[in-house]
Amino acid sequence: MILNIFTDIHELLLGLMPENIVHITELVLIAVAYLGIFAILGLFLVWLERRIAAFFQFRLGPNRVGPMGLFQTVADALKLVSKELTGTEKADKFLYKIAPYFVITTALMSLSLIPFSYEIHAFDINIGLFFLTSVSSVGVLGIFLAGWASNNKYSLIGGMRTGIQMISYELSVGMAIVTMVVLAGTLQISEIVEIQKDGWLIYQGHIPAIIAFMIFMIAGTAESNRTPFDLVEAESELGAGFHTEYSGMNFAYYFLAEFVNLFLISSVAVILFFGGWLSPFGITDTIPFAGLFWFVIKVLGVIFIFMWFRWTFPRFRIDQLLTLEWKFLLPINMVNIVLMALMVWLGLTL
Amino acid sequence: MSYFSDIINGTKTLLTGMRVTGGYFFVNFFTKRDVITQQYPNNIETLEMFDRFKGEVIMLHNENNEHRCDACTLCEKACPNGSIEILGDKAKDPETGKNKRFLVKHIYHLQMCTMCGLCIEACPVNAIDWGQDFHHVEYDRSLLTKVLNKPGSKIMSGIKG
């Protein structure tokens, strides 16, 4: 028996109002729920990053506000909400104001595609992965616009670097995803997870899948603008890069979106390589909502690897960044796709 | 073929770096062995500063309540912002019968001190040194003006005036 509280809520609403209004109400409810997830995720990941960074650097990190300092980031967010929104006088006001919403809307849209468990999946379409990569590409526009509209040389350099970096590394992320899609044979996220009931894709695809995973992790770090690819912000060179001129809540949008993008890229890694919400060897697949637990555990593991990268590697120079992408990752990726296609064709997958 | 060896070497060195930092993380995450953060107000009883910490200027006294200061005022002159005032006096030395300077009060204005250490470097007889006490909070700034020589103390024998 599947305990489905969502069906219960649906029937409860049907008893209260006509069917077409129920539909709209449910859409609103889901949107509000995802906004909540967005905020909580962003705040939690900021806290996690600070704690983990502290342990890497022989410190303790925020540990005063709430248990283990969990509410530190909530307090920080409240501070940012209460701050004045400033801007440069000669900024392009319209673009300047609209830019953060590009970033936050696309992050939120991408979040709707992520299956937290078998039951919790807001938007499951047959071109799910394609939609996810396209939507998250739009988020770059927000960063680019912010750099341009601020009318500040540091912001502009940051924005230009974003353009270079994103165009380059989106290719690698896309091709690593394509490699796994060749193996999975579908773009629908729920089906990709279902296929992995016999073994996670990183096991099914063995050598090319592991190469694709490594490329995905490298390019994913670049996509989420994290060290060693944080040329976009580059505190030591550009002030704060593209968001130098943003303050208060507008700054917080970028800050939260950055961490939600980290969650997104980790979720895609988990869906593509580590079986999404599936438990290892199917031990708890019959328990409803157990998938949520496994999904969160796996995503946190991948996020930890990203944070490990961040506190280990120094920042690239811009020419090194481009050399890495165009001379190393891209050729390897192309060979890897052919290798994967051959393996699927010859039936060498496990 | 340096292309492929570059890739392999690069991966290897990256993994070496990750092993080092990962070691730091797991040691500190599970045992907090190497954590150097001091949770200051909570460990106020047990906190000890390291030897070279510049907390305040102190005057060294031995067990007979004797110090080495001969009131030469070199530290007063060396101080860039006048944090040190020396009140000296002259008295007849019982051994030689000559007039000799001795220290009455070594006044130290902690509220003006920038901990630059020039006075300690200037002292020819090593009479003053760094103390490790850092807990200087007072409600009145006059309480920060300290007399460094202890009451009743006198100069050690053998220090040339």
Side-chain angles (χ1 to χ4, degrees), chain B:
Chain B
M1 276 286 114
S2 73
Y3 181 82
F4 292 104
S5 60
D6 277 357
I7 294 175
I8 291 167
N9 270 336
T11 318
K12 228 183 257 175
T13 48
L14 289 180
L15 288 178
T16 312
M18 282 182 73
R19 200 179 64 216
V20 173
T21 51
Y24 293 158
F25 174 80
F26 285 107
V27 163
N28 292 319
F29 183 75
F30 290 112
T31 67
K32 295 193 171 54
R33 191 187 69 197
D34 296 333
V35 169
I36 55 166
T37 307
Q38 299 292 341
Q39 307 216 45
Y40 168 55
N42 297 7
N43 64 356
I44 196 162
E45 304 294 327
T46 55
L47 180 60
E48 276 185 22
M49 298 308 287
F50 39 96
D51 290 343
R52 288 169 66 183
F53 179 70
K54 295 175 167 185
E56 59 175 343
V57 175
I58 54 167
M59 184 169 281
L60 300 168
H61 288 72
N62 67 2
E63 62 275 10
N64 302 327
N65 202 12
E66 289 174 334
H67 57 77
R68 299 166 68 91
C69 181
D70 54 4
C72 67
T73 70
L74 280 177
C75 52
E76 186 179 355
K77 284 167 189 155
C79 185
N81 47 7
S83 308
I84 294 175
E85 286 175 62
I86 291 181
L87 301 180
D89 204 351
K90 282 188 176 172
K92 196 159 270 185
D93 192 345
E95 289 171 26
T96 57
K98 288 178 186 168
N99 267 353
K100 190 182 172 184
R101 254 182 96 78
F102 69 93
L103 180 71
V104 179
K105 272 183 179 176
H106 189 295
I107 298 168
Y108 169 49
H109 300 281
L110 180 60
Q111 74 271 33
M112 294 198 284
C113 182
T114 60
M115 313 289 165
C116 67
L118 289 176
C119 53
I120 290 162
E121 284 170 32
C123 185
V125 290
N126 294 330
I128 49 179
D129 200 356
W130 286 119
Q132 271 80 44
D133 187 16
F134 59 92
H135 192 72
H136 300 306
V137 184
E138 299 286 0
Y139 284 106
D140 188 352
R141 60 183 291 162
S142 66
L143 294 172
L144 289 170
T145 301
K146 295 175 179 180
V147 178
L148 290 190
N149 53 328
K150 290 180 186 165
S153 64
K154 61 180 198 300
I155 188 164
M156 243 180 254
S157 60
I159 305 290
K160 282 263 159 49

Side-chain angles (χ1 to χ4, degrees), chain A residues 13-82:
Chain A
L13 286 174
L14 271 182
L16 291 174
M17 47 188 100
E19 198 170 345
N20 49 355
I21 299 179
V22 165
H23 186 62
I24 293 166
T25 316
E26 280 172 354
L27 288 181
V28 170
L29 280 179
I30 290 168
V32 169
Y34 269 77
L35 273 174
I37 292 172
F38 186 92
I40 290 168
L41 257 183
L43 294 174
F44 174 73
L45 287 177
V46 173
W47 171 82
L48 193 72
E49 171 97 51
R50 290 172 67 180
R51 281 301 284 213
I52 284 178
F55 287 124
F56 273 115
Q57 299 173 339
F58 298 175
R59 296 183 287 112
L60 287 173
N63 59 353
R64 292 301 165 109
V65 189
M68 298 191 295
L70 263 171
F71 298 131
Q72 179 66 52
T73 47
V74 179
D76 290 347
L78 285 177
K79 182 206 77 174
L80 285 172
V81 170
S82 69

Side-chain angles (χ1 to χ4, degrees), chain A residues 78-154:
Chain A
L78 285 177
K79 182 206 77 174
L80 285 172
V81 170
S82 69
K83 281 178 95 168
E84 186 193 353
L85 296 175
T86 60
T88 42
E89 206 162 87
K90 293 194 174 169
D92 187 333
K93 288 282 180 334
F94 177 68
L95 292 182
Y96 179 82
K97 278 180 183 147
I98 208 170
Y101 297 98
F102 268 92
V103 178
I104 204 156
T105 315
T106 51
L108 199 52
M109 277 169 82
S110 314
L111 197 65
S112 70
L113 286 152
I114 300 300
F116 290 96
S117 77
Y118 177 73
E119 297 87 355
I120 310 170
H121 193 170
F123 189 39
D124 188 21
I125 49 173
N126 56 357
I127 52 163
L129 271 177
F130 183 62
F131 186 78
L132 184 69
T133 44
S134 346
V135 164
S136 53
S137 311
V138 179
V140 186
L141 265 184
I143 296 177
F144 202 63
L145 281 181
W148 174 256
S150 297
N151 204 359
N152 170 321
K153 58 189 171 190
Y154 296 122

Side-chain angles (χ1 to χ4, degrees), chain A residues 27 65 69 85 142 174 188 214 228 249 310 313 322 335-336 339:
Chain A
L27 288 181
V65 189
L85 296 175
Q188 189 166 354
M214 288 166 85
M249 211 51 214
R310 174 162 184 175
F313 304 138
L322 292 175
V335 174
N336 199 34
L339 187 65

